[in-house]
Amino acid sequence: MDMVVKTASFGISGIDGYLVEVEAAAVKGFPRIDLVGLPDAAVKESKDRVTNALSSCGLTIPESHITFNLAPADIKKEGPIYDLPIAVNLMRLGGTIRVEPKDCAFVGELSLNGEVRGVNGVLPMTIKARELGYRRMFVPLSNSAEAAVVDGIEIYAVKDILALRDMLNGLVPLVPVKPAQTKKHAENGFVPDFSQVKGQYEAKRALEIAAAGSHNILLIGPPGSGKSMLAKRIPSILPDMSFEEMIETTKIHSIAGSLHSDGLIDVRPFRSPHHSVTAVGLGGGGSNGIRPGEVSLAHNGVLFLDELPEFMRSALEVLRQPIEDSRITISRAGQSCTYPCSIMVVAAMNPCPCGYFGDDTHRCTCSQHKIRSYLNKISGPLLDRFDIHIEVPPVKFDELRSDEVAECSAEIKKRVDAAREIQRERFKNSKTTSNSRINAAELSKFCLIDKEAENVLRSAFEKLSMTARAYDRVLKVARTIADLDQSVVIRSYHVLEAVQYRSLDRKYWNA
Ligand SMILES: Nc1ncnc2c1ncn2[C@@H]1O[C@H](COP(=O)(O)OP(=O)(O)OP(=O)(O)O)[C@@H](O)[C@H]1O
Ligand SMILES: [Mg+2]
Ligand SMILES: [Zn+2]
């Protein structure tokens, strides 16, 4: 019997995994198990789950005083991930496992009867294990698809503790999990496409610009005008994800435990949280360990806030910094972690509680006061963060009845892709990824405007009493419009169109 054994496992910090070494030392004495190395409550419960699992499977628990140490000791370890390495150590000390599992790592929770349950964060853990040179990773069956995404390390899916014993003792052949074939887009059923939206040419144009530069966009209009319908079709015109983007987005979903797909997320996320979502739900955090919020789950994709004024103000204000920084830092009980959130924010709203303020076809029944307090739910700084404001009027009857086939998403996407190609070239020596994220230092370098355009911009700035942030954003939108036009210099008509997308705050908010 070994007296000291060591098994590799992994923890999560931010969006990355880190090595946790689970060491166990057995000495003669009254049989008991101690855990040291800052374990949280869940790790303490591990002890009970593991001993229960082993005995219910008829496996020996060594009759000695065993001390477990989880290293490094200075990082707070969370969750039930360490059940499996703890069980492996006990089985080795008890003589159930007779071979030392070299270059192997283990993660997984145990149920009382010895089944292995899924845990969060297996993808980043596996990436780290490969980086550190581990050759084999034993993971819960339900996490095996995400782990198998990683090249250069063998993944073994573990169903229960007895299966693990047999695998490690060489009683069953070891068959690594094969990576799932990535399957782009929904394979069956309905795919939202812009061809299904009749008319609405202005709104579609604005959405194309937003997609081309990854600009935040706000849609305002009466009930039933098609705002939600339009927003849901945005992912169909966004550029394809790069492999790095897929990995990063999947990592976040792995950590949040919201990975439903097999393996990699290869389609940009479209997150549409209900307006009852809390600040923690939107930004991240939580009382039981820090979890990514909706802003991070939408990373590299779209965060859609439908019925914007219905959201809690406290939740919306959480968005302000991350929208600007593309990442969010969450602090809780002395712990802090940062998640990426490079997102395009799309919001939709009615202009007033009844929905018909400013509409020609219906009478608005709201009082001035009610309209004002409704619109004021959106703070000035938040409103400023939407680069493009667009009105979505009800579709005209003739357009709805027309047989004209509207342009499909694939055609729009071609133009978006071309504009993104220009941006890739523009930002090849910069950290910036799209026009919407051009920083202050780059603004004058990348947003060259001609004299006439500058005049247009100046008069708009004065007439619309724009804030400095609104001014910057108009310039960035003009940059995107010029890119769609394959124009190196920003011309006056590009600026004019961009300015037009900022005139609604005047119509509604500053009326
Ligand atoms: N331009 C359009 N072409 C085809 N169908 C449309 C169009 N506009 C609206 N519709 C139809 O009307 C329905 C309602 O649209 P949608 O739910 O997007 O409206 P909305 O603007 O989000 O309304 P609300 O403010 O009430 O949320 C759509 O599901 C669709 O069937
Ligand atoms: Mg709607
Ligand atoms: Zn109204």
Side-chain angles (χ1 to χ4, degrees), residues 55 344 414:
S55 50
M344 182 176 157
K414 278 186 200 158

Side-chain angles (χ1 to χ4, degrees), residues 143-427:
N143 298 121
S144 59
E146 57 177 291
V149 159
V150 184
D151 267 345
I153 184 166
E154 292 169 6
I155 304 302
Y156 297 99
V158 187
K159 200 169 114 284
D160 57 46
I161 196 81
L162 289 174
L164 180 65
R165 174 198 63 182
D166 294 345
M167 284 161 123
L168 294 177
N169 282 335
L171 295 178
V172 291
L174 278 182
V175 185
V177 178
K178 284 201 187 69
Q181 290 296 317
T182 52
K183 36 158 194 30
K184 278 227 154 77
H185 308 293
E187 55 284 312
N188 54 5
F190 179 77
V191 183
D193 192 283
F194 273 105
S195 60
Q196 294 143 358
V197 184
K198 307 236 176 198
Q200 299 296 15
Y201 303 107
E202 284 94 22
K204 286 183 188 172
R205 162 76 179 163
L207 290 173
E208 176 177 335
I209 295 165
S214 191
H215 297 287
N216 302 323
I217 182 167
L218 174 63
L219 309 169
I220 307 177
S225 66
K227 301 180 294 298
S228 305
M229 189 185 188
L230 286 161
K232 286 187 184 119
R233 282 158 180 75
I234 294 172
S236 68
I237 58 169
L238 289 174
D240 294 342
M241 287 178 105
S242 69
F243 185 70
E244 287 69 36
E245 287 177 326
M246 292 178 194
I247 290 280
E248 213 169 65
T249 299
T250 310
K251 270 165 113 179
I252 294 169
H253 284 258
S254 169
I255 291 163
S258 62
L259 209 52
H260 304 300
S261 72
D262 296 330
L264 269 190
I265 293 176
D266 56 1
V267 177
R268 293 190 185 277
F270 182 86
R271 300 291 299 187
S272 152
H274 187 255
H275 53 67
S276 62
V277 69
T278 62
V280 165
L282 209 51
S287 50
N288 188 20
I290 296 180
R291 291 273 172 280
E294 289 291 335
V295 276
S296 299
L297 294 171
H299 181 49
N300 291 320
V302 174
L303 178 67
F304 178 42
L305 305 172
D306 206 356
E307 323 286 354
L308 189 65
E310 304 295 331
F311 282 76
M312 280 181 268
R313 200 164 173 145
S314 59
L316 290 182
E317 295 304 299
V318 161
L319 286 177
R320 279 165 55 176
Q321 216 45 47
I323 291 178
E324 213 91 318
D325 299 346
S326 303
R327 61 197 157 86
I328 184 164
T329 298
I330 302 150
S331 301
R332 184 192 61 90
Q335 239 189 319
S336 110
C337 79
T338 301
Y339 296 123
C341 58
S342 186
I343 54 172
M344 182 176 157
V345 183
V346 178
M349 63 183 284
N350 298 137
C352 67
C354 87
Y356 294 105
F357 176 52
D359 187 73
D360 312 330
T361 52
H362 291 72
R363 237 177 65 87
C364 168
T365 56
C366 310
S367 69
Q368 272 296 326
H369 173 74
K370 265 178 88 182
I371 296 174
R372 197 111 315 272
S373 67
Y374 183 78
L375 291 173
N376 282 342
K377 288 183 184 169
I378 319 298
S379 74
L382 183 64
L383 194 63
D384 250 0
R385 279 166 172 78
F386 290 97
D387 309 4
I388 298 176
H389 303 172
I390 179 87
E391 224 162 355
V392 185
V395 62
K396 295 182 192 76
F397 181 78
D398 289 344
E399 282 173 350
L400 204 53
R401 291 286 304 149
S402 143
D403 292 332
E404 190 195 336
V405 182
E407 195 178 27
C408 65
S409 294
E411 287 301 315
I412 304 172
K413 183 174 182 297
K414 278 186 200 158
R415 297 192 295 267
V416 170
D417 284 342
R420 288 284 182 129
E421 194 49 49
I422 294 171
Q423 294 169 64
R424 228 185 318 279
E425 191 57 29
R426 173 177 301 137
F427 303 127

